[in-house]
Amino acid sequence: MKLTLASAGESHGPALVAVVGGLPAGLELDREAIDADLRRRQQGYGRSPRQQIERDQVEVLAGLRHGRTLGTPLALVVRNADHENWAWGMSPWPPAGEPSGKGTKPVTLPRPGHADLAGALKYGHDDVRNALERASARHTAVHVAAGAVAKALLAAVGISVHGSAADEDALRAAIDVARAERDTVGGIVEVRADGVPPGLGSYASKDERLDARLAAALMGIQAVKGVEIGDGFALASLRGSEAHDEIRPDRRRDTNRAGGIEAGVSNGEQIVARAAMKPLPTLMKPLASVDLATGEAGEALVERSDVAAVEALAVVAEAAVAWELAVAAREKFGGDSLVDFAAAHRAYIERIQWA
Ligand SMILES: Cc1cc2nc3c(=O)[nH]c(=O)nc-3n(C[C@H](O)[C@H](O)[C@H](O)COP(=O)(O)O)c2cc1C
């Protein structure tokens, strides 16, 4: 059974949409729980005033009846409230009437560190906005909604996932300084998953490795430039005798340097993944750039922007890890209904006698 996710949506377009395929029938979804994750993504120290405009809420257009999945594709929508200020500029169809609101003038000054230059060159856009609107992390909202669905599925087999920002006090202090200096900062987030049984993922091929999938999922989030599983980079400078987690007679470990994954397979310990976020590329004190319309030197686009989004990344990363664990759990336990899925999980836990 393959769990699939397709999403679409521009930052200031009408809405963000996702279609989730491969869910079992009979999974109960809690609208409040999904909306709570959407709110968590919007919060966090250092975010821009955009977050006061948006009140993200999930809408479901298909695949759900009276709060339970039907085993058919689940269609999720998160509307962009800000679109009303961009209705002309981001109109999907040729806009009627005089230009009004935001996004009416072409952007020609690409920001270093953003999609602007590479995107404009690759797709042949004269207006950099045609690249940056989708590259923007705004559409992580609908991925967080899909992640909340994945967490509901995982909860049915006793798995929970939680993301948090590292060193929040130091981070907040750094954000205050950066804001005053019209600069931006990055940071590190950590995601932990509990209750994952041994046996999710596989060493059979590289695209089945759970560690590879988690790394791709986390690196797939905007501004993430490094990922580690367990002690990751620190393991490189240790001896083998210091780096591996010895196995007790009950098959559990006293240490978890592997971060719960060996040979691309979960080993029953807590899954630990970290992601490093670079400082955000939109600076209120712009960096040097080129005007793509004239070829003259210039300063990069200044647009309303977050000073930092590390706490938001923790929520997005949590959703990404939950999604990959749900994909692996669907592969392992299958089932057209939640009852079948949970029964396969129970039978497996009994076979391996995992406490
Ligand atoms: C939750 C979140 C919020 C973000 N907010 C902003 C922002 O306000 N301004 C900005 O310049 N970049 C922001 N970014 C980062 C850019 O989207 C990202 O740097 C850009 O798309 C280029 O991609 P890359 O950094 O992965 O190379 C955000 C990223 C995330 C995950």
Side-chain angles (χ1 to χ4, degrees), residues 58-287:
V58 74
E59 280 173 53
V60 178
L61 298 189
L64 197 67
R65 184 161 185 237
H66 303 169
R68 285 183 190 273
T69 55
L70 296 171
T72 55
L74 179 74
L76 305 173
V77 175
V78 177
R79 298 204 182 264
N80 288 322
D82 201 15
H83 178 64
E84 67 178 42
N85 301 312
W86 298 72
W88 194 96
M90 287 301 294
S91 170
W93 296 105
E98 289 304 304
S100 65
K102 297 186 175 174
T104 56
K105 293 203 184 75
V107 176
T108 57
L109 291 156
R111 292 161 296 176
H114 219 297
D116 306 0
L117 178 61
L121 294 175
K122 176 178 167 72
Y123 291 99
H125 296 314
D126 295 330
D127 183 352
V128 165
R129 179 158 306 285
N130 289 337
L132 68 88
E133 280 284 328
R134 177 65 181 164
S136 153
R138 169 71 189 147
H139 70 262
T140 58
V142 83
H143 286 258
V144 165
V149 173
K151 285 195 293 179
L153 179 67
L154 293 171
V157 291
I159 298 173
S160 61
V161 187
H162 185 70
S164 60
D167 296 331
E168 284 198 45
D169 291 344
L171 174 68
R172 287 173 179 224
I175 291 171
D176 287 338
V177 175
R179 189 195 302 279
E181 294 173 0
R182 292 152 66 225
D183 216 326
T184 59
V185 291
I188 292 173
V189 302
E190 183 169 273
V191 183
R192 293 173 177 265
D194 290 295
V196 180
L200 294 196
S202 176
Y203 44 76
S205 63
K206 66 183 168 128
D207 56 321
E208 290 175 87
R209 289 183 66 110
L210 188 59
D211 48 2
R213 288 180 177 184
L214 293 180
L218 291 169
M219 193 67 92
I221 304 170
Q222 291 85 346
V224 169
K225 295 297 142 187
V227 175
E228 61 180 10
I229 306 293
D231 286 0
F233 276 69
L235 292 173
S237 52
L238 298 179
R239 304 271 294 269
S241 56
E242 306 163 318
H244 300 296
D245 306 309
E246 289 185 301
I247 304 171
R248 299 189 316 223
D250 67 355
R251 300 168 295 167
R252 305 303 296 251
R253 322 293 175 102
D254 290 321
T255 57
N256 186 23
R257 299 169 188 125
I261 304 177
E262 289 168 313
V265 185
S266 61
N267 65 10
E269 300 305 315
Q270 185 182 56
I271 298 220
V272 185
R274 268 183 289 273
M277 184 182 218
K278 74 183 187 184
L280 304 179
T282 310
L283 301 185
M284 295 304 121
K285 188 177 58 182
L287 298 174

Side-chain angles (χ1 to χ4, degrees), residues 2-7 17-22 74 76 142-147 319 323 327:
K2 191 149 182 55
L3 195 58
T4 59
L5 171 63
S7 80
V17 301
V19 177
V20 175
L74 179 74
L76 305 173
V142 83
H143 286 258
V144 165
W323 180 262
V327 169

